[in-house]
Amino acid sequence: MVEIGYLDILQIAQTIGIVGTLLITLYFSNRQISGLSVDLETKVLSDLDEKVHRLEEHMLERPELARASKCNQ
């Protein structure tokens, strides 16, 4: 029969601790990455909305631009 000594138990506990730490790090890094992608998507959509708003303002100030763009389509 295999006898498990005190040092073996400490090595197993150390290995479990290292693997557990890696799993916790992986979990939180995935959460952070998904949060960053949401932040990036929000920023892109906000920038796009701002550009469309400015384009609409230009077309209200100069209606000939709106007519010219409809003719080109």
Side-chain angles (χ1 to χ4, degrees):
M1 190 139 190
V2 176
E3 191 174 311
I4 298 179
Y6 181 69
L7 291 177
D8 294 330
I9 292 174
L10 287 178
Q11 287 178 342
I12 292 171
Q14 182 181 14
T15 304
I16 291 172
I18 291 170
V19 170
T21 302
L22 290 174
L23 291 175
I24 290 171
T25 303
L26 180 65
Y27 172 75
F28 283 111
S29 67
N30 281 341
R31 282 186 52 189
Q32 185 177 12
I33 289 171
S34 67
L36 288 175
S37 69
V38 169
D39 290 344
L40 180 63
E41 183 179 346
T42 302
K43 183 178 179 348
V44 167
L45 290 176
S46 176
D47 289 346
L48 183 60
D49 185 50
E50 184 180 323
K51 288 179 182 184
V52 169
H53 184 68
R54 282 188 299 196
L55 181 62
E56 290 171 347
E57 285 179 350
H58 287 301
M59 288 195 176
L60 284 174
E61 292 171 3
R62 297 181 56 197
E64 66 273 7
L65 293 176
R67 277 188 249 119
S69 69
K70 287 182 183 178
C71 292
N72 291 334
Q73 292 179 354

